[in-house]
């Protein structure tokens, strides 16, 4: 028999996770704060309380709105967690993850924190993956079970590492989406088809530029040869002024772009004009 799994939370993501466990043949128990949520989810056992839901499975997956809701939901069932594995797939910070791990260990449970790199429709499909950090023993024990919703990828024993990399990936995504939103605002200021611009120009351009990222990462990690930057920051900073001026001329708010222009200018001022984007990364690390 497949490992019984409990899913706490039947929002859009919790429902997709529960559906994936059912589809993979896991006896699946679910709980949601508001009863009657996800009425189309069949093949599950609906528990009345968190304690009832936790008591029936060795593997407990929680996916609620935020860290506060996880603390609120789990606290009344604390004594039920002993000997089980708690997998927290709620979006949170590394600090949230480390605190939750301490709490779980105090209850006698193993803890894995997870960062879901998918939207609900992708769960159970080939492109979804979930980053995990925390107990390596729990990950090894449940790796096959955790493959039901998405490809599991273990990133380390520090429980905060999955959340950190999840948030880092989301910042990359939001930076790209912010840039795309600005590009579409700019082209929409003239009679340019958003669909044609996106499909024929924006997506191919972004795809090509993404391929340059590993070289920047290598520069950051190992250092660059002097003068190796093909597109140095002084050139980029000079051209960036045109992005801001054209935006204003076209009636487009440059607020999303302006901080990047400021960083490029600062990099040049501080003597990094002949370097590449790795110099900007170093400037961002204000804590060092
Ligand atoms: N949906 C997505 O695209 C993203 C993909 C990446 C991961 N995120 C994170 O997953 C968490 C859950 O997201 P969700 O999409 O399921 O969110 P909702 O559909 O809004 O459902 C929220 C559930 O949380 C329950 N809840 C809220 N507050 C409490 C509380 N104080 N105590 C107990 N449960 C609570 C809510 O219950 P109810 O309102 O139906 O009673 C829902 O079950 C999230 O961290 C994303 O960032 C999703």
């Amino acid at each position: 028999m497949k490992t019984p799994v409990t899913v706490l939370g039947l929002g859009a993501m919790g429902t997709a996770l529960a559906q994936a466990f059912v589809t993979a043949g896991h006896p699946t128990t679910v709980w949601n704060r508001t009863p009657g949520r996800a009425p189309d989810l069949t093949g599950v056992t609906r528990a009345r309380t968190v304690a009832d839901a936790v008591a029936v499975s060795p593997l407990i997956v929680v996916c609620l709105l935020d860290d506060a809701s996880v603390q609120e939901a789990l606290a009344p069932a604390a004594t039920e967690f002993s000997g089980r594995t708690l997998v927290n797939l709620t979006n949170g910070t590394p600090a949230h993850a480390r605190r939750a791990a301490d709490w779980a260990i105090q209850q006698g449970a193993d803890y894995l924190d997870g960062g879901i790199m998918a939207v609900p429709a992708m769960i159970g499909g080939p492109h979804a993956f979930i980053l995990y950090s925390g107990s390596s023993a729990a990950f090894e024990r449940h790796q096959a079970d955790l493959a039901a919703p998405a490809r599991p990828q273990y990133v380390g024993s520090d429980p905060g590492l999955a959340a950190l990399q999840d948030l880092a990936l989301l910042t990359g995504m939001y930076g790209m989406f912010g840039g795309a939103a600005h590009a579409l605002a700019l082209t929409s200021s003239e009679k340019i088809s958003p669909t044609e611009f996106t499909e024929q120009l924006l997506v191919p351009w972004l795809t090509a530029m993404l391929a340059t990222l590993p070289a920047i990462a290598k520069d950051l990690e190992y250092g660059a040869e002097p003068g190796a930057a093909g597109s140095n920051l002084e050139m980029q900073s000079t051209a960036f002024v045109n992005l801001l001026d054209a935006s204003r001329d076209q009636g487009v708010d440059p607020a999303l772009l302006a901080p990047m222009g400021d960083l490029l200018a600062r990099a040049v001022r501080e003597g990094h004009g002949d370097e590449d984007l790795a110099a900007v990364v170093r400037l961002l690390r204000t804590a060092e």
Side-chain angles (χ1 to χ4, degrees):
M1 187 178 86
K2 294 239 177 150
T3 307
V5 180
T6 285
V7 177
L8 303 175
L10 288 180
M13 184 52 83
T15 302
L17 295 169
Q19 183 61 67
F21 285 118
V22 171
T23 304
H26 293 268
T28 305
T29 300
V30 298
W31 170 87
N32 193 65
R33 176 182 62 175
T34 307
R37 193 115 190 229
D40 296 338
L41 181 65
T42 56
V44 296
T45 302
R46 291 175 190 263
R48 205 177 49 81
T49 66
V50 175
D52 290 348
V54 171
V56 294
S57 305
L59 180 59
I60 316 297
V61 175
V62 58
C63 188
L64 301 179
L65 181 63
D66 58 11
D67 182 60
S69 54
V70 172
Q71 290 189 47
E72 189 182 320
L74 300 194
T79 54
E80 294 295 338
F81 279 89
S82 180
R84 306 181 198 282
T85 296
L86 173 60
V87 176
N88 184 5
L89 300 183
T90 304
N91 182 271
T93 66
H96 292 149
R98 291 174 187 133
R99 189 212 50 76
D102 288 346
W103 180 87
I105 290 162
Q106 276 168 22
Q107 313 315 319
D110 280 338
Y111 183 83
L112 283 168
D113 205 82
I116 303 175
M117 305 320 302
V119 296
M122 291 164 65
I123 294 297
H127 302 299
F129 64 101
I130 301 181
L131 305 174
Y132 289 98
S133 57
S135 165
S136 58
F139 183 77
E140 277 164 31
R141 192 164 59 245
H142 289 298
Q143 184 171 4
D145 305 323
L146 296 172
R151 178 171 57 80
Q153 188 165 335
Y154 185 72
V155 294
S157 59
D158 173 351
L161 288 179
L164 184 74
Q165 290 176 79
D166 174 4
L167 297 176
L169 292 175
L170 291 178
T171 62
M173 180 190 79
Y174 280 116
M176 185 179 73
F177 282 176
H182 190 95
L184 285 166
L186 207 47
T187 52
S188 297
S189 68
E190 300 290 348
K191 287 192 178 64
I192 296 171
S193 156
T195 309
E196 273 181 32
F197 174 74
T198 300
E199 290 180 354
Q200 293 174 19
L201 298 175
L202 185 58
V203 170
W205 168 247
L206 290 179
T207 305
M209 292 314 293
L210 284 176
T212 67
L213 287 180
I216 291 163
K218 284 201 178 90
D219 175 350
L220 192 61
E221 191 163 1
Y222 306 113
E225 298 292 318
S231 304
N232 69 68
L233 292 185
E234 181 162 12
M235 174 280 294
Q236 292 196 48
S237 179
T238 305
F240 210 91
V241 175
N242 292 331
L243 271 62
L244 299 171
D245 287 348
S247 297
R248 290 188 198 95
D249 291 348
Q250 297 292 133
V252 173
D253 184 346
L256 278 174
L257 283 186
M260 185 67 185
D262 291 345
L263 260 178
L264 290 172
R266 187 181 145 206
V268 174
R269 267 199 321 276
E270 294 184 9
H272 306 291
D274 62 347
E275 298 176 31
D276 68 15
L277 204 67
V280 170
V281 179
R282 292 186 191 100
L283 288 185
L284 284 171
R285 294 200 310 220
T286 52
E288 289 177 6

